[in-house]
Amino acid sequence: MSRLFVFILATASVALNAAQSHDFKTGKLLDIGSSERVLEGTVYRSALFTVQIEDIIYTARGDRIRRGSGDVGKGLIVGDPVQVAIDGERLIFLLPNGKEMKTTITKRARAQTAP
């Protein structure tokens, strides 16, 4: 029984450290919107986030939007700086409440530079 407890404790510790080891960068939240997908005749709406990190603009799909779901942006405000980490095909936002929000990158584009 004690071996099981040690294994569970070690596994939880590794998972906790992995979750907190993201390399967050400061970006600018450009837009919060929504997108629709139709699967087998059912329309699904998802939150859509656009953020600029250095010279790259990322668009990422967030959670599904349900009726009465409240604040789609989960406290994020368009135009504000945000803390974002890139993890493969995911953008991870650090929300104002300290929690992380994982989104899936759907588009990358270079920011237009002024002449």
Side-chain angles (χ1 to χ4, degrees):
M1 183 63 122
S2 64
R3 287 183 183 174
L4 178 62
F5 177 75
V6 170
F7 175 76
I8 291 171
L9 185 62
T11 304
S13 175
V14 168
L16 183 61
N17 286 337
Q20 294 178 350
S21 65
H22 298 297
D23 181 24
F24 284 97
K25 298 178 180 183
T26 301
K28 182 176 182 181
L29 186 61
L30 302 176
D31 192 29
I32 300 172
S34 64
S35 67
E36 292 185 354
R37 293 186 295 170
V38 179
L39 298 173
E40 297 180 8
T42 303
V43 177
Y44 295 96
R45 288 182 60 221
S46 298
L48 205 59
F49 298 88
T50 305
V51 63
Q52 183 172 349
I53 304 170
E54 297 172 359
D55 68 334
I56 304 290
I57 297 174
Y58 295 90
T59 302
R61 184 181 319 111
D63 293 335
R64 186 172 148 201
I65 301 172
R66 302 182 196 294
R67 283 188 210 158
S69 61
D71 181 14
V72 176
K74 300 186 179 187
L76 298 174
I77 299 172
V78 173
D80 280 358
V82 291
Q83 295 296 307
V84 183
I86 301 169
D87 184 16
E89 294 300 312
R90 296 199 176 273
L91 279 183
I92 303 169
F93 288 84
L94 189 58
L95 299 174
N97 65 7
K99 294 183 179 181
E100 294 180 355
M101 175 180 65
K102 294 181 180 179
T103 62
T104 303
I105 298 171
T106 59
K107 181 179 176 182
R108 293 176 178 87
R110 295 248 179 240
Q112 298 296 321
T113 57

